Amino acid sequence: MFVSKSPSEEEEFLIRWFTPLYEAALCGHATLVTSYILRTEKHIYSELLSNSKEIKFRAYGGVKLQVTFEQDENGKILPTMNFPLNTPVPLKATGELPQIAEIKSGIFGPEQADEGLVVDVQWSPSLTYLLLRAKDGFDIGQLKPNFSRLLEVATKREVSLVIVTGKSTNFSESGGVHFNVRVFAPWYGANEDPVCGSAFTVSTPYWAKVLAAEEGGKGDSKNQTVFYAYHASKRSGIVRTELLPGGERMLIGGRVNKFCSGVMKV
């Protein structure tokens, strides 16, 4: 990613994200790390941000992001990102992706794709993200997508990322996790994103609606705003998300563990 001071706003930074192949429209990991470095490391803006509890970013295209900071019981800084929602809609309502059958086959395998494993297909037009919901009880951790096949049947202009998600079988037994996700993005040059922040701007509003409907609005489910998700990649991770009032933005919480630092001369 690249970050620079905004020439128009005193406490705002401009941010852009790049994968090995393309520029990304939204990226959680890079925003989390950038905010942490700006807040904790010494640099020319250290004095400006030394006592700040929030850093504002403006991404390419004018998307506004904020990161706030709290401390845990050990004094470690915990960033929380405020991102716009990219709520998906049923794919059939958009007329997009006529090659959806080939994409499902590339993700699940030709045999399993025909066994009714995908029970819902959703589409986020703002990010061109595809969401495939697996049937309850299916272990998405066992998926081994055919990435070469995916690149053959669709282009980045058509779909930039696929989210495969499933409902956790039991909230209490799964450690308080509501849903599981994996994220595949061969079109960006990264076959799998181990924990993808931007994917939660799509999957969280989706599951909020699904879980409320499945519970029939009983108890607090209809008004539930906080969700926990398990990213079932090899590296894995649990993410806390929260929908904000107004239906347009959300919070994504995370931790940062710095493992190296250095200087790049360009």
Side-chain angles (χ1 to χ4, degrees):
M1 71 287 202
F2 290 89
V3 64
S4 63
K5 184 71 179 61
S6 170
S8 57
E9 298 288 340
E10 181 179 357
E11 296 186 4
E12 181 183 71
F13 289 83
L14 307 180
I15 189 169
R16 297 176 72 174
W17 312 278
F18 295 87
T19 74
L21 296 180
Y22 298 101
E23 181 169 7
L26 188 65
C27 182
H29 253 107
T31 304
L32 189 75
V33 172
T34 300
S35 64
Y36 182 83
I37 296 300
L38 288 174
R39 181 65 175 78
T40 61
E41 298 292 315
K42 289 186 177 181
H43 50 77
I44 59 175
Y45 302 114
S46 295
E47 185 175 351
L48 173 67
L49 299 173
S50 60
N51 295 315
S52 175
K53 292 185 177 181
E54 178 184 72
I55 296 180
K56 298 178 181 179
F57 294 99
R58 180 156 48 89
Y60 185 68
V63 177
K64 293 186 177 181
L65 315 169
Q66 297 90 39
V67 182
T68 57
F69 304 94
E70 296 181 355
Q71 290 186 332
D72 63 13
E73 62 277 7
N74 298 315
K76 187 172 183 178
I77 292 177
L78 303 176
T80 297
M81 300 180 292
N82 184 318
F83 272 26
L85 290 179
N86 293 283
T87 305
V89 296
L91 183 67
K92 61 183 180 182
T94 68
E96 302 286 347
L97 287 180
Q99 63 275 59
I100 182 61
E102 288 84 356
I103 294 176
K104 289 193 292 185
S105 177
I107 295 287
F108 287 85
E111 296 81 10
Q112 295 195 91
D114 294 331
E115 295 179 359
L117 291 180
V118 179
V119 297
D120 196 8
V121 180
Q122 298 271 323
W123 175 252
S124 173
S126 52
L127 291 178
T128 63
Y129 284 10
L130 179 68
L131 182 148
L132 304 177
R133 177 186 172 186
K135 71 177 183 180
D136 293 352
F138 178 76
D139 179 13
I140 63 174
Q142 70 180 9
L143 291 175
K144 297 180 179 180
N146 184 333
F147 296 111
S148 297
R149 178 59 177 159
L150 291 174
L151 291 172
E152 291 174 357
V153 301
T155 66
K156 180 186 172 296
R157 184 181 295 274
E158 294 169 315
V159 56
S160 55
L161 182 150
V162 177
I163 303 165
V164 179
T165 186
K167 183 181 178 182
S168 291
T169 54
N170 185 291
F171 182 79
S172 59
E173 291 181 3
S174 62
V177 171
H178 296 91
F179 61 93
N180 305 320
V181 295
R182 286 183 72 184
V183 174
F184 305 110
W187 302 275
Y188 270 126
N191 287 341
E192 181 167 8
D193 191 326
V195 183
C196 180
S198 64
F200 291 106
T201 69
V202 178
S203 57
T204 299
Y206 169 77
W207 279 107
K209 183 177 181 180
V210 168
L211 293 175
E214 290 183 351
E215 293 294 326
K218 295 180 293 184
D220 295 329
S221 61
K222 188 174 183 179
N223 299 313
Q224 185 172 347
T225 58
V226 176
F227 300 88
Y228 288 87
Y230 175 66
H231 218 300
S233 64
K234 184 177 181 180
R235 195 176 80 189
S236 74
I238 294 178
V239 178
R240 180 190 186 275
T241 64
E242 180 177 354
L243 300 178
L244 296 177
E248 295 184 354
R249 301 190 69 88
M250 69 177 298
L251 302 179
I252 306 173
R255 293 178 178 268
V256 178
N257 294 307
K258 187 177 73 171
F259 65 91
C260 70
S261 62
V263 176
M264 178 183 294
K265 295 183 178 181
V266 180

